[in-house]
Amino acid sequence: MTWFSEKLEALRSSGNLRQLPEMKHQGRYSVTGGRRMLNLSSNDYLGLATDPEMLLMRDFMQEAGRSCAGGVPEDCLLGSSSSRLLTGTFDVHSALEHTLCRLSGRQAALVFGSGYHMNAGILPAVVDASSVILSDKLVHASIIDGIRLSSARSVRFRHQDMGQLEELVKKYSMECSRIIIVTESIFSMDGDLADLRFLAGLKKRYPGVMLYVDEAHAVGVRGETGMGLAQELGVMQDIDFLCGTFGKAIASVGAYVLCDSEIREYLVNRMRPLIFSTALPPLNVLWTLRVMENLPAMDHRRERLAANSLYLRKSLASLGVVCPSGSHIIPVMAGDSRRAVEMADFMQRHGFYLLPIRPPTVPEGTARLRVSLTAAVTDREVAGLAAALEEVLHGHPAGK
Ligand SMILES: *Cc1c(COP(=O)(O)O)cnc(C)c1O
């Protein structure tokens, strides 16, 4: 046995071996293994990426087609050909950053190639050895990588434990010149909401504290104009690094941070994944810009998503299932990885494309199904989903 086959065998026998799923995409459906299933595993929360009418997308394509008639204009290029710091910054990158500032009321915005780049890059750039990073135990892997790459001390607090966090802030206020608190706003695997108002209050009480909030799952979905949970809770101006991504509800790719101008200027000089990676293609940024401009008018989609989410959370509660979620991300716990695989298999045979979420994505012993609802799911579908989950939870023998 080679080193690799041994490692793979260990993964296989613990039910944790992963493969890249092969499938066809038909709008809201995924087709795989001869089965057509409602896709409940994507992050297309507003249903924008799979909209059967594709109005926004079609308008966009026409706009791009028209402007290409007399030669491709710079904003329609499919490659940026260099880093933002060389020749990779186009008018459309600046226009998107300007729009992000307008939508948020913040001084500055900076756009990145992906959320992974953003989280792996900002933290290492903005701390030094006299800083401490206090992060929620369940933050995304990309944030953990950012912490690992940084020279700061790092302490992880128990998930959402604000009491423990405040104790840590008190302690490190004495020892460290700077404290950065890092959290997600809607947690990606539990769907629960961070207490951003408490964090904003904490920052006011302890002057050395800065806040870093990743809104990957809340952008588009929450807040008056879809700018996220910080907007909904009225604390958008209090967060030093307000981060979001375009790959989920925004139906595009890339990420951004909203911050003060001085911090933006500093990041441009010090953030390695910004400096040493090719800028997003202009045409892609133009699409992101169109979606962001239309985001405030997408209340209807946000309301549909909220209604679907409330329905499913209530259904699970009525079955006595404890679920931390306060959002459209709804975990259904399995515990053991093999059990999660069985449950996913059952749901797939009933037409719902759910995947088992296993360690290391989630802590050992908390394997689960992660239901990721979208605004495109109908009332009937969400009722059918609730019924199928009831069956799988009540120890149905999973069709054996
Ligand atoms: C998806 C995700 C990311 C990564 O964003 P990409 O743009 O897909 O690289 C970062 N943070 C969180 C919380 C995420 O869920």
Side-chain angles (χ1 to χ4, degrees), residues 18 20 57 78 95 100 108 127 148-149 153 166 183 203 212-213 224 235 261 273 276 313 343 349 368:
R18 297 163 181 228
L20 299 178
M57 173 76 85
L78 285 162
L100 288 166
V127 297
R148 283 187 186 148
L149 286 170
R153 293 164 73 176
E166 182 151 10
T183 187
K203 177 182 155 76
Y212 184 109
V213 177
E224 203 188 329
V235 295
S261 305
F276 298 108
R313 294 200 309 266
M343 283 167 64
R349 274 186 281 109
R368 67 195 68 183

mmCIF file of all heavy atoms in Angstrom, residues 18 20 57 78 95 100 108 127 148-149 153 166 183 203 212-213 224 235 261 273 276 313 343 349 368:
data_model
loop_
_atom_site.group_PDB
_atom_site.id
_atom_site.type_symbol
_atom_site.label_atom_id
_atom_site.label_comp_id
_atom_site.label_asym_id
_atom_site.label_seq_id
_atom_site.Cartn_x
_atom_site.Cartn_y
_atom_site.Cartn_z
ATOM 1 N N ARG A 18 -14.480 11.534 0.240
ATOM 2 C CA ARG A 18 -15.248 12.449 -0.599
ATOM 3 C C ARG A 18 -14.901 12.256 -2.061
ATOM 4 O O ARG A 18 -13.775 11.893 -2.403
ATOM 5 C CB ARG A 18 -14.932 13.900 -0.240
ATOM 6 C CG ARG A 18 -15.312 14.254 1.162
ATOM 7 C CD ARG A 18 -14.607 15.518 1.531
ATOM 8 N NE ARG A 18 -14.921 15.913 2.889
ATOM 9 C CZ ARG A 18 -15.277 17.141 3.222
ATOM 10 N NH1 ARG A 18 -15.368 18.085 2.317
ATOM 11 N NH2 ARG A 18 -15.534 17.439 4.470
ATOM 12 N N LEU A 20 -15.759 14.190 -6.104
ATOM 13 C CA LEU A 20 -16.394 15.304 -6.792
ATOM 14 C C LEU A 20 -17.632 14.763 -7.488
ATOM 15 O O LEU A 20 -17.504 13.902 -8.363
ATOM 16 C CB LEU A 20 -15.436 15.904 -7.824
ATOM 17 C CG LEU A 20 -14.124 16.470 -7.265
ATOM 18 C CD1 LEU A 20 -13.246 16.983 -8.406
ATOM 19 C CD2 LEU A 20 -14.404 17.589 -6.268
ATOM 20 N N MET A 57 -30.142 38.094 -16.229
ATOM 21 C CA MET A 57 -29.040 37.509 -16.998
ATOM 22 C C MET A 57 -29.214 37.804 -18.492
ATOM 23 O O MET A 57 -28.270 38.163 -19.185
ATOM 24 C CB MET A 57 -29.004 36.008 -16.732
ATOM 25 C CG MET A 57 -28.032 35.238 -17.565
ATOM 26 S SD MET A 57 -26.336 35.443 -17.018
ATOM 27 C CE MET A 57 -26.239 34.212 -15.734
ATOM 28 N N LEU A 78 -12.826 39.148 -21.087
ATOM 29 C CA LEU A 78 -12.961 37.924 -20.283
ATOM 30 C C LEU A 78 -11.716 37.606 -19.471
ATOM 31 O O LEU A 78 -11.672 36.630 -18.751
ATOM 32 C CB LEU A 78 -13.313 36.757 -21.203
ATOM 33 C CG LEU A 78 -14.770 36.807 -21.659
ATOM 34 C CD1 LEU A 78 -14.996 35.948 -22.882
ATOM 35 C CD2 LEU A 78 -15.683 36.366 -20.527
ATOM 36 N N ALA A 95 -16.057 50.846 -10.345
ATOM 37 C CA ALA A 95 -17.505 51.108 -10.296
ATOM 38 C C ALA A 95 -18.175 50.183 -9.275
ATOM 39 O O ALA A 95 -19.057 50.604 -8.517
ATOM 40 C CB ALA A 95 -18.124 50.909 -11.681
ATOM 41 N N LEU A 100 -20.651 49.445 -3.928
ATOM 42 C CA LEU A 100 -20.657 48.808 -2.599
ATOM 43 C C LEU A 100 -20.648 49.878 -1.499
ATOM 44 O O LEU A 100 -21.341 49.749 -0.486
ATOM 45 C CB LEU A 100 -19.452 47.877 -2.445
ATOM 46 C CG LEU A 100 -19.510 46.584 -3.262
ATOM 47 C CD1 LEU A 100 -18.141 45.910 -3.314
ATOM 48 C CD2 LEU A 100 -20.544 45.620 -2.673
ATOM 49 N N ALA A 108 -15.057 52.948 2.220
ATOM 50 C CA ALA A 108 -14.249 52.280 1.204
ATOM 51 C C ALA A 108 -14.658 50.824 1.040
ATOM 52 O O ALA A 108 -15.196 50.199 1.962
ATOM 53 C CB ALA A 108 -12.770 52.356 1.586
ATOM 54 N N VAL A 127 -2.368 42.177 11.171
ATOM 55 C CA VAL A 127 -1.950 41.943 12.557
ATOM 56 C C VAL A 127 -0.424 41.865 12.653
ATOM 57 O O VAL A 127 0.263 41.751 11.642
ATOM 58 C CB VAL A 127 -2.543 40.626 13.121
ATOM 59 C CG1 VAL A 127 -4.053 40.701 13.166
ATOM 60 C CG2 VAL A 127 -2.061 39.436 12.312
ATOM 61 N N ARG A 148 -3.848 31.082 10.641
ATOM 62 C CA ARG A 148 -2.598 30.299 10.635
ATOM 63 C C ARG A 148 -1.460 31.030 9.933
ATOM 64 O O ARG A 148 -0.302 30.873 10.295
ATOM 65 C CB ARG A 148 -2.823 28.971 9.904
ATOM 66 C CG ARG A 148 -3.568 27.963 10.726
ATOM 67 C CD ARG A 148 -3.550 26.658 9.936
ATOM 68 N NE ARG A 148 -4.359 25.647 10.581
ATOM 69 C CZ ARG A 148 -5.027 24.715 9.930
ATOM 70 N NH1 ARG A 148 -4.990 24.665 8.607
ATOM 71 N NH2 ARG A 148 -5.723 23.815 10.580
ATOM 72 N N LEU A 149 -1.810 31.778 8.902
ATOM 73 C CA LEU A 149 -0.775 32.487 8.139
ATOM 74 C C LEU A 149 -0.330 33.767 8.826
ATOM 75 O O LEU A 149 0.604 34.423 8.382
ATOM 76 C CB LEU A 149 -1.311 32.834 6.742
ATOM 77 C CG LEU A 149 -1.425 31.680 5.753
ATOM 78 C CD1 LEU A 149 -2.201 32.112 4.516
ATOM 79 C CD2 LEU A 149 -0.039 31.199 5.350
ATOM 80 N N ARG A 153 -1.149 36.089 17.983
ATOM 81 C CA ARG A 153 -1.602 34.998 18.838
ATOM 82 C C ARG A 153 -3.043 34.720 18.470
ATOM 83 O O ARG A 153 -3.754 35.600 17.989
ATOM 84 C CB ARG A 153 -1.518 35.422 20.304
ATOM 85 C CG ARG A 153 -0.083 35.612 20.737
ATOM 86 C CD ARG A 153 -0.011 36.383 22.017
ATOM 87 N NE ARG A 153 -0.426 35.578 23.165
ATOM 88 C CZ ARG A 153 -0.366 36.024 24.417
ATOM 89 N NH1 ARG A 153 0.069 37.247 24.665
ATOM 90 N NH2 ARG A 153 -0.739 35.257 25.412
ATOM 91 N N GLU A 166 -16.029 37.957 26.216
ATOM 92 C CA GLU A 166 -15.739 39.182 26.973
ATOM 93 C C GLU A 166 -14.621 38.951 27.995
ATOM 94 O O GLU A 166 -13.759 39.813 28.179
ATOM 95 C CB GLU A 166 -17.002 39.733 27.648
ATOM 96 C CG GLU A 166 -16.703 41.027 28.398
ATOM 97 C CD GLU A 166 -17.875 41.989 28.511
ATOM 98 O OE1 GLU A 166 -19.013 41.598 28.168
ATOM 99 O OE2 GLU A 166 -17.642 43.130 28.954
ATOM 100 N N THR A 183 -15.799 36.630 13.412
ATOM 101 C CA THR A 183 -16.966 35.735 13.400
ATOM 102 C C THR A 183 -17.623 35.757 12.024
ATOM 103 O O THR A 183 -17.339 36.617 11.196
ATOM 104 C CB THR A 183 -17.991 36.158 14.482
ATOM 105 O OG1 THR A 183 -19.034 35.171 14.547
ATOM 106 C CG2 THR A 183 -18.634 37.502 14.156
ATOM 107 N N LYS A 203 -17.009 46.415 21.341
ATOM 108 C CA LYS A 203 -15.993 47.278 20.708
ATOM 109 C C LYS A 203 -16.012 48.676 21.324
ATOM 110 O O LYS A 203 -14.966 49.298 21.498
ATOM 111 C CB LYS A 203 -16.272 47.347 19.201
ATOM 112 C CG LYS A 203 -15.340 48.254 18.431
ATOM 113 C CD LYS A 203 -15.753 48.267 16.964
ATOM 114 C CE LYS A 203 -15.313 49.558 16.271
ATOM 115 N NZ LYS A 203 -13.891 49.593 15.963
ATOM 116 N N TYR A 212 -14.188 41.813 12.838
ATOM 117 C CA TYR A 212 -14.071 41.229 11.492
ATOM 118 C C TYR A 212 -15.257 40.276 11.331
ATOM 119 O O TYR A 212 -15.363 39.301 12.069
ATOM 120 C CB TYR A 212 -12.752 40.468 11.410
ATOM 121 C CG TYR A 212 -12.408 39.862 10.059
ATOM 122 C CD1 TYR A 212 -11.375 40.391 9.293
ATOM 123 C CD2 TYR A 212 -13.083 38.750 9.565
ATOM 124 C CE1 TYR A 212 -11.024 39.832 8.067
ATOM 125 C CE2 TYR A 212 -12.738 38.191 8.335
ATOM 126 C CZ TYR A 212 -11.711 38.737 7.596
ATOM 127 O OH TYR A 212 -11.370 38.181 6.382
ATOM 128 N N VAL A 213 -16.159 40.583 10.406
ATOM 129 C CA VAL A 213 -17.378 39.782 10.255
ATOM 130 C C VAL A 213 -17.509 39.301 8.813
ATOM 131 O O VAL A 213 -17.486 40.101 7.876
ATOM 132 C CB VAL A 213 -18.633 40.597 10.666
ATOM 133 C CG1 VAL A 213 -19.899 39.780 10.429
ATOM 134 C CG2 VAL A 213 -18.543 41.024 12.126
ATOM 135 N N GLU A 224 -32.170 45.551 4.820
ATOM 136 C CA GLU A 224 -33.128 46.326 4.039
ATOM 137 C C GLU A 224 -32.828 46.307 2.539
ATOM 138 O O GLU A 224 -33.730 46.133 1.721
ATOM 139 C CB GLU A 224 -33.036 47.757 4.559
ATOM 140 C CG GLU A 224 -34.249 48.597 4.314
ATOM 141 C CD GLU A 224 -33.934 50.036 4.712
ATOM 142 O OE1 GLU A 224 -33.120 50.245 5.643
ATOM 143 O OE2 GLU A 224 -34.494 50.922 4.050
ATOM 144 N N VAL A 235 -25.828 47.801 12.503
ATOM 145 C CA VAL A 235 -24.459 47.962 13.002
ATOM 146 C C VAL A 235 -23.414 47.970 11.870
ATOM 147 O O VAL A 235 -22.237 47.712 12.100
ATOM 148 C CB VAL A 235 -24.093 46.867 14.041
ATOM 149 C CG1 VAL A 235 -24.958 47.004 15.284
ATOM 150 C CG2 VAL A 235 -24.251 45.452 13.451
ATOM 151 N N SER A 261 -11.166 54.131 4.610
ATOM 152 C CA SER A 261 -10.249 54.369 3.478
ATOM 153 C C SER A 261 -8.811 54.019 3.814
ATOM 154 O O SER A 261 -8.070 53.464 2.991
ATOM 155 C CB SER A 261 -10.289 55.836 3.062
ATOM 156 O OG SER A 261 -11.596 56.196 2.776
ATOM 157 N N PRO A 273 -2.819 37.971 -1.214
ATOM 158 C CA PRO A 273 -3.695 37.415 -2.256
ATOM 159 C C PRO A 273 -4.302 38.490 -3.170
ATOM 160 O O PRO A 273 -4.760 38.188 -4.259
ATOM 161 C CB PRO A 273 -4.807 36.715 -1.469
ATOM 162 C CG PRO A 273 -4.223 36.463 -0.124
ATOM 163 C CD PRO A 273 -3.309 37.633 0.132
ATOM 164 N N PHE A 276 -0.739 39.463 -5.352
ATOM 165 C CA PHE A 276 -0.087 38.430 -6.163
ATOM 166 C C PHE A 276 -1.059 37.501 -6.885
ATOM 167 O O PHE A 276 -0.744 36.350 -7.143
ATOM 168 C CB PHE A 276 0.872 37.613 -5.299
ATOM 169 C CG PHE A 276 1.986 38.454 -4.734
ATOM 170 C CD1 PHE A 276 2.014 38.785 -3.394
ATOM 171 C CD2 PHE A 276 2.986 38.938 -5.571
ATOM 172 C CE1 PHE A 276 3.034 39.575 -2.877
ATOM 173 C CE2 PHE A 276 4.009 39.731 -5.065
ATOM 174 C CZ PHE A 276 4.033 40.055 -3.724
ATOM 175 N N ARG A 313 -38.182 25.415 9.546
ATOM 176 C CA ARG A 313 -37.712 25.421 10.943
ATOM 177 C C ARG A 313 -38.849 25.064 11.890
ATOM 178 O O ARG A 313 -38.666 24.312 12.849
ATOM 179 C CB ARG A 313 -37.110 26.788 11.308
ATOM 180 C CG ARG A 313 -35.838 27.125 10.541
ATOM 181 C CD ARG A 313 -35.016 28.198 11.250
ATOM 182 N NE ARG A 313 -35.788 29.370 11.602
ATOM 183 C CZ ARG A 313 -35.899 30.473 10.864
ATOM 184 N NH1 ARG A 313 -35.268 30.568 9.723
ATOM 185 N NH2 ARG A 313 -36.627 31.483 11.280
ATOM 186 N N MET A 343 -28.809 9.004 5.460
ATOM 187 C CA MET A 343 -29.909 9.975 5.415
ATOM 188 C C MET A 343 -29.924 10.729 4.090
ATOM 189 O O MET A 343 -30.970 10.943 3.484
ATOM 190 C CB MET A 343 -29.780 10.972 6.593
ATOM 191 C CG MET A 343 -30.226 10.384 7.925
ATOM 192 S SD MET A 343 -29.737 11.398 9.365
ATOM 193 C CE MET A 343 -30.658 12.905 9.090
ATOM 194 N N ARG A 349 -33.228 9.704 -2.827
ATOM 195 C CA ARG A 349 -34.190 8.803 -3.477
ATOM 196 C C ARG A 349 -35.591 9.381 -3.459
ATOM 197 O O ARG A 349 -36.446 8.995 -4.238
ATOM 198 C CB ARG A 349 -34.136 7.411 -2.841
ATOM 199 C CG ARG A 349 -33.037 6.566 -3.498
ATOM 200 C CD ARG A 349 -32.989 5.133 -3.047
ATOM 201 N NE ARG A 349 -32.329 5.026 -1.758
ATOM 202 C CZ ARG A 349 -32.950 4.730 -0.623
ATOM 203 N NH1 ARG A 349 -34.242 4.471 -0.614
ATOM 204 N NH2 ARG A 349 -32.268 4.673 0.508
ATOM 205 N N ARG A 368 -24.024 15.795 9.449
ATOM 206 C CA ARG A 368 -25.404 16.259 9.294
ATOM 207 C C ARG A 368 -25.794 16.364 7.830
ATOM 208 O O ARG A 368 -24.948 16.288 6.938
ATOM 209 C CB ARG A 368 -25.511 17.655 9.906
ATOM 210 C CG ARG A 368 -24.694 18.663 9.108
ATOM 211 C CD ARG A 368 -24.464 19.958 9.824
ATOM 212 N NE ARG A 368 -23.580 19.790 10.971
ATOM 213 C CZ ARG A 368 -23.263 20.789 11.797
ATOM 214 N NH1 ARG A 368 -23.764 21.990 11.613
ATOM 215 N NH2 ARG A 368 -22.464 20.572 12.814
#
